[in-house]
Amino acid sequence: MSIVILFFVTLTFCETFSHLHQQFAQKSVNDFCQFNVSQNVPGSFHSIDSVLNHACLDPEGYEISLLDSDHVEYLAVNMNQTIFIGGINIKPTIWTFNTLRREIINLQQGNITLENIEFQFSTNQNKSFIIPSHQFILVGSDKVHLPSLTVHQCVFRSHSYKHSDILVHIQVEQANKAVIDNSTFLGAGQKKVQYTSMMDINNISELIITNSRFKDALLNSPKEAVRIYGNNPNNSALSIWSGLEIRTEITGNKFTNCQAAQSNSGAMYIKDFDGNEKYNEIIVSNNTFDSNKGNLTGAFFFVSYSQYSNYSFVNNIFISNRNSNKSGIGQDAYLIFSQTPKDWSLDNIVNIIMYLFKGSISDAKKDSVYTSAYLKGQQYYGSITLPNKSNAEVFNNYVIAAVVVIIFGIAVFLVEIIYFRMKKHKQNIGTAQESQYLLMSSQKQPA
């Protein structure tokens, strides 16, 4: 009997120990994938590259914290892993490099998230070259490995250095997905000409840019501040393969003082290629375009070669955008549709463009959105005028006016009531006085 009891006690202990061992092992794996990187703090890894040389079994991937206020490193990532790199200080960690390279981060495979990091260009002592020489971040170069990039709460600074090649903050060549959220892209200022574009996006299946700021860029280059351009041998619309569909969402951003001397648009350029009957989606909504200038338009230039794409440009705010046209036609947006959906026609094209910009407002007097469209063998050229106030503002104005009228009516009604009551009161007093006077007179007469 004692042997049986001892056997069950031993079995229970072994099961408990095995469970605790699994929990400890899992915790150890998670802890093993969390790393501190510092070139000053003892016990930390000195580089991100040295961290990535250690295997990580955690399905959530590497979590790398940058402890220093400045980080100096060239990073090439070509591994199928998820990697988070973030600065832990209140101010973003400034990431630079000190020898000549084309970029600071070269992402060829895997998924990287960058958070609370600031990227800056620098020059050598005699200012003969700039570092990096082409872009801060390069994403993808082939169709086999399609990496993904997420940028959150980061800062990108331009430089006024004159360069034979066009500099850019983020260059995407081939990618699965890119998410840019709550980040700031700064030009060199309105007094310094720069040769730096902010984003150049090519061949991507999903692009999301939200709640970010693009401002103070005086560009002397053929590129806009933000360029989204789909071009590959399969002619897929903003996609990597002809078999993939593309979704582009650009919402809640602010484009301010982006001016380009050699490009069609100051702020943004989007080109949508023939999608081979793939239903792509392009959303540009709830953005503010303020004081941007380009040759044809200030805010955004859009070209579509696909009749299968869905577009939405709703609820944008356009303020003081300009172009090189003295009449101002197209100063907010310039649209070219080389192929259009089958239900588009000369009879409904104006209503369609108005619907695409539903809820958008502009301070331009007229014709701020220009459209060129090929419709069933006929070419259309025309423009629309966006309202100066949104429907909500107009409704609110009507409500306010109605409330004022009602209050005024009530006030007049009350005044009339008070007036008639006072008048009646005076009449009553007069009648009473007259009666009293007659009574007194009758009493004075002799019997």
Side-chain angles (χ1 to χ4, degrees):
M1 184 68 177
S2 298
I3 296 175
V4 174
I5 294 173
L6 181 62
F7 172 76
F8 280 106
V9 169
T10 304
L11 181 63
T12 303
F13 175 79
C14 289
E15 289 178 350
T16 303
F17 178 80
S18 176
H19 179 68
L20 292 173
H21 176 72
Q22 289 177 358
Q23 288 184 330
F24 177 79
Q26 182 64 37
K27 187 175 186 302
S28 299
V29 169
N30 291 338
D31 290 345
F32 183 71
C33 293
Q34 297 175 356
F35 299 88
N36 292 331
V37 172
S38 171
Q39 291 157 356
N40 301 309
V41 178
S44 301
F45 287 87
H46 285 191
S47 67
I48 299 171
D49 185 65
S50 62
V51 169
L52 299 181
N53 287 329
H54 288 71
C56 174
L57 301 180
D58 185 351
E60 295 184 0
Y62 293 87
E63 182 178 334
I64 302 172
S65 299
L66 302 179
L67 306 184
D68 300 335
S69 59
D70 296 271
H71 183 73
V72 180
E73 182 179 2
Y74 169 77
L75 179 64
V77 178
N78 195 1
M79 56 192 299
N80 189 21
Q81 275 282 5
T82 299
I83 304 167
F84 172 88
I85 305 172
I88 66 168
N89 301 305
I90 297 176
K91 292 184 177 180
T93 298
I94 299 175
W95 190 340
T96 58
F97 196 55
N98 51 16
T99 58
L100 187 60
R101 285 279 190 176
R102 292 178 62 91
E103 60 275 330
I104 292 179
I105 299 176
N106 187 337
L107 174 60
Q108 294 300 315
Q109 185 182 179
N111 305 320
I112 281 187
T113 296
L114 302 172
E115 184 175 282
N116 197 34
I117 297 172
E118 179 173 320
F119 293 90
Q120 298 180 2
F121 289 102
S122 61
T123 57
N124 61 333
Q125 290 184 349
N126 58 7
K127 296 185 178 181
S128 59
F129 58 84
I130 190 168
I131 305 169
S133 62
H134 286 74
Q135 59 264 326
F136 290 130
I137 303 172
L138 174 65
V139 181
S141 62
D142 61 64
K143 299 179 182 179
V144 178
H145 305 108
L146 302 175
S148 294
L149 172 70
T150 299
V151 175
H152 180 62
Q153 291 183 340
C154 289
V155 179
F156 299 82
R157 293 188 181 273
S158 300
H159 199 285
S160 58
Y161 183 86
K162 188 174 183 179
H163 197 264
S164 57
D165 296 309
I166 303 301
L167 302 173
V168 64
H169 294 167
I170 299 177
Q171 177 76 42
V172 176
E173 293 294 343
Q174 298 278 350
N176 178 46
K177 183 177 181 179
V179 178
I180 312 297
D181 174 61
N182 195 21
S183 293
T184 302
F185 296 78
L186 297 172
Q190 289 299 293
K191 295 183 179 179
K192 293 183 178 180
V193 176
Q194 68 184 63
Y195 300 83
T196 308
S197 180
M198 294 174 176
M199 294 182 64
D200 195 353
I201 309 295
N202 300 271
N203 307 312
I204 190 169
S205 58
E206 184 173 8
L207 173 66
I208 299 174
I209 305 175
T210 58
N211 303 318
S212 295
R213 297 150 294 280
F214 303 82
K215 60 182 182 178
D216 297 334
L218 184 58
L219 298 166
N220 188 14
S221 74
K223 290 186 178 182
E224 296 73 15
V226 177
R227 173 183 285 232
I228 303 166
Y229 188 86
N231 187 11
N232 55 53
N234 294 313
N235 289 327
S236 296
L238 289 169
S239 61
I240 299 166
W241 327 99
S242 59
L244 292 181
E245 298 180 3
I246 170 66
R247 183 175 187 273
T248 300
E249 179 183 344
I250 303 171
T251 58
N253 306 286
K254 293 183 178 180
F255 299 83
T256 309
N257 291 324
C258 295
Q259 302 186 30
Q262 300 183 36
S263 62
N264 291 326
S265 173
M268 187 168 58
Y269 175 89
I270 302 176
K271 197 168 188 178
D272 173 26
F273 276 83
D274 185 358
N276 294 329
E277 298 189 12
K278 299 300 179 291
Y279 293 86
N280 308 298
E281 186 176 15
I282 298 171
I283 300 172
V284 181
S285 65
N286 295 288
N287 303 286
T288 299
F289 298 89
D290 188 354
S291 303
N292 305 289
K293 183 182 179 182
N295 288 331
L296 294 178
T297 186
F300 71 87
F301 184 83
F302 178 75
V303 182
S304 176
Y305 292 93
S306 173
Q307 60 178 315
Y308 302 104
S309 295
N310 293 318
Y311 323 104
S312 177
F313 309 128
V314 301
N315 299 325
N316 293 295
I317 299 174
F318 299 95
I319 306 170
S320 301
N321 297 294
R322 296 173 293 158
N323 57 13
S324 299
N325 191 334
K326 293 182 179 180
S327 66
I329 295 176
Q331 64 192 67
D332 289 328
Y334 198 103
L335 315 176
I336 299 176
F337 298 94
S338 293
Q339 295 187 44
T340 54
K342 295 180 180 179
D343 58 344
W344 288 26
S345 67
L346 290 174
D347 295 329
N348 63 17
I349 181 66
V350 173
N351 291 333
I352 288 173
I353 301 302
M354 290 292 292
Y355 179 78
L356 292 180
F357 283 85
K358 184 179 179 180
S360 294
I361 59 176
S362 172
D363 63 352
K365 293 182 179 179
K366 62 177 184 178
D367 299 332
S368 66
V369 176
Y370 176 83
T371 302
S372 170
Y374 189 73
L375 303 166
K376 300 177 181 178
Q378 294 179 299
Q379 191 68 44
Y380 166 82
Y381 302 98
S383 56
I384 64 169
T385 300
L386 296 177
N388 294 116
K389 295 182 179 180
S390 66
N391 293 332
E393 289 177 309
V394 173
F395 177 76
N396 290 337
N397 290 340
Y398 279 123
V399 171
I400 292 172
V403 170
V404 170
V405 170
I406 293 172
I407 292 174
F408 179 77
I410 293 173
V412 171
F413 178 72
L414 292 175
V415 168
E416 288 181 351
I417 290 177
I418 294 172
Y419 172 76
F420 283 114
R421 285 188 174 182
M422 291 179 65
K423 186 176 180 180
K424 186 175 182 181
H425 179 67
K426 288 181 179 180
Q427 289 176 347
N428 293 335
I429 292 175
T431 303
Q433 289 177 344
E434 184 178 355
S435 300
Q436 186 177 6
Y437 173 77
L438 293 173
L439 179 62
M440 292 176 63
S441 297
S442 63
Q443 290 176 351
K444 289 180 180 181
Q445 290 179 0

